[in-house]
Amino acid sequence: MRSQIRAPQKARPLHLHRGLGGKSVLTGGLDALEFIGKKTMIVLAESDPGFKRTKTLMERTVSLSQMLREAKEKEKQRLAQQLTAERTAHYGMLFDEYQGLSHLEALEILSNESESKVQSFLASFDGEKLELLKNDLISIKDIFAAKELENEENQEEQGSEEKGEEFASMLTELLFELHVAATPDKLNKAMKKAHDWVEQDQTMVPVDVMEESEEKTMKEEQEEKPQNPKEDKKEDRRTKTVEEVYMLSIESLAEVTARCIEQLHKVAELILHGQEEEKPAQDQAKVLIKLTTAMCNEVASLSKKFMNSLTTVGSNKKAEVLNPMINSVLLEGCNSTTYIQDAFQLLLPVLQVSHIQITSKAQP
């Protein structure tokens, strides 16, 4: 995803193509997100030293939220012209529905305010005191820069799978290590919901295959109807269309990513205003790296499961119908991890100002 850095291109207009069975499949969203992805990664070509790097990282993410909101508003206007009540697989709109944009923008504001405070503190110091403070802040920045480099080098290794219980336990432990009173309840719930439906759908039979065998099994089904309601639900799951699986995939990625951004926003607020016990900023930065890595790996794992599910359910579909959906889920998964990584970078000035505040308290 980040290995090739190219100049941003103009986003192609969104188009709505009609899928089989009268279902609407939004494929133009792929173009919008491709444009967003390219534009946000341009800055990776730069290697700004010192505090200029911090400001560049913030500007990159600010433009990201602005572009996401613009893409969502354009799609909203387009849908308003159509007489349909159907939900569409538009990542930006779904991401906003789950308050992802609101939390991203709130985190940007908090990060910008913290950056201003850092610069104000630096202007108020001089001599040896200033040099010591600069060294501390640079050491925190270097931890974030190392994570950025690791993201570029290890893109292919993302997607290591953790069981739902293990992931929930890991998040709780990492938040405890940060010494902040935050619980990952919403994120864990979204992750569990996504894993549950995709695991259930792994046993689904494509609709076309079911229709072929319907006549052979009709007599047996009439003679021996399932008495357990759960078995009826299992039969319902087998009739899911590839369009429905695609919609669930995009919606799940949008929800899980929004919950990750929300969790990082809450962590930032608590680091500044509600730490149970003060912890060195360098140590907190290392814990946040583990937290962000766990989130990205889980999202990457989910997107792979969604692609496998689409491939299974759409095995009888033509390539021109199925491939755009699979490619879209792949791109949305990659962009989701990018948004989480960008949100992590916004925490840098938050940790820096927290360090300054703690240091100031300790000094007479």
Side-chain angles (χ1 to χ4, degrees), residues 147 151 158-159 167 260 291-301 336-338 340-341:
K147 172 60 179 171
N151 290 337
Q158 284 190 349
F167 177 73
C260 288
L291 183 68
T292 306
T293 301
M295 290 175 173
C296 290
N297 285 342
E298 194 70 5
V299 168
S301 173
S336 291
T337 59
T338 299
I340 295 168
Q341 290 160 4

Side-chain angles (χ1 to χ4, degrees), residues 98 113 124 129 136 157 193 246 254 275 325 345 352 363:
Y98 289 109
E113 290 175 349
S124 66
K129 210 170 185 180
D136 287 346
E157 295 179 11
K193 185 171 77 171
Y246 174 64
Q275 291 194 65
M325 297 183 193
Q345 292 293 338
Q352 288 177 328
Q363 291 177 353

Side-chain angles (χ1 to χ4, degrees), residues 117-154:
K117 289 179 182 178
V118 168
Q119 298 301 332
S120 178
F121 276 118
L122 288 172
S124 66
F125 290 106
D126 56 19
E128 185 179 353
K129 210 170 185 180
L130 176 60
E131 289 305 311
L132 288 172
L133 179 57
K134 275 187 176 180
N135 289 336
D136 287 346
L137 299 186
I138 289 172
S139 70
I140 300 169
K141 178 187 71 67
D142 287 343
I143 296 172
F144 277 71
K147 172 60 179 171
E148 183 78 8
L149 182 61
E150 179 190 331
N151 290 337
E152 294 178 28
E153 293 176 347
N154 299 331

Side-chain angles (χ1 to χ4, degrees), residues 147-214:
K147 172 60 179 171
E148 183 78 8
L149 182 61
E150 179 190 331
N151 290 337
E152 294 178 28
E153 293 176 347
N154 299 331
Q155 283 294 309
E156 293 183 1
E157 295 179 11
Q158 284 190 349
S160 59
E161 186 176 346
E162 296 282 353
K163 291 182 180 178
E165 298 81 3
E166 292 177 3
F167 177 73
S169 176
M170 182 192 303
L171 284 187
T172 303
E173 288 176 10
L174 290 171
L175 290 171
F176 180 77
E177 280 187 51
L178 284 171
H179 292 177
V180 295
T183 56
D185 295 340
K186 285 186 178 179
L187 176 53
N188 286 339
K189 185 177 179 181
M191 286 288 190
K192 185 178 184 306
K193 185 171 77 171
H195 278 291
D196 284 350
W197 82 253
V198 79
E199 285 169 9
Q200 290 169 356
D201 286 356
Q202 284 176 353
T203 59
M204 286 193 311
V205 178
V207 174
D208 294 343
V209 175
M210 269 189 59
E211 289 174 351
E212 289 176 8
S213 61
E214 259 185 357

